[in-house]
Amino acid sequence: MLLGARIESGPAAQGYVQLAGIVLTLLPAIIGTGVASAEEVGIDTLADRLREVFVETDATLAAPTLRGGWARVGS
């Protein structure tokens, strides 16, 4: 069994770019369901804005936990 999660903070953390990338892939659904407009999301500056807020508030970014497992079948 495996369990892993990326946990990081500070201005050099890569999680801000990764999170903005996830939002980019979800952007059509976000707009289509009326959750937010493209202007409200501001995808072009999202990673920088996330970085600014996280660093300013000394927050930690924790990615979703990934789990994995395996088994042997037979002998």
Side-chain angles (χ1 to χ4, degrees):
M1 181 74 84
L2 296 173
L3 179 68
R6 183 181 194 121
I7 300 173
E8 57 186 347
S9 62
Q14 295 300 306
Y16 316 119
V17 174
Q18 292 174 343
L19 183 55
I22 292 167
V23 172
L24 176 61
T25 64
L26 295 172
L27 196 54
I30 292 169
I31 295 167
T33 57
V35 171
S37 68
E39 293 78 23
E40 290 172 317
V41 173
I43 197 69
D44 293 335
T45 61
L46 183 57
D48 292 331
R49 290 183 286 126
L50 287 168
R51 178 178 286 109
E52 182 180 313
V53 170
F54 273 73
V55 170
E56 187 176 289
T57 59
D58 196 29
T60 299
L61 180 64
T65 303
L66 302 176
R67 297 169 185 88
W70 64 93
R72 246 183 232 188
V73 178
S75 51

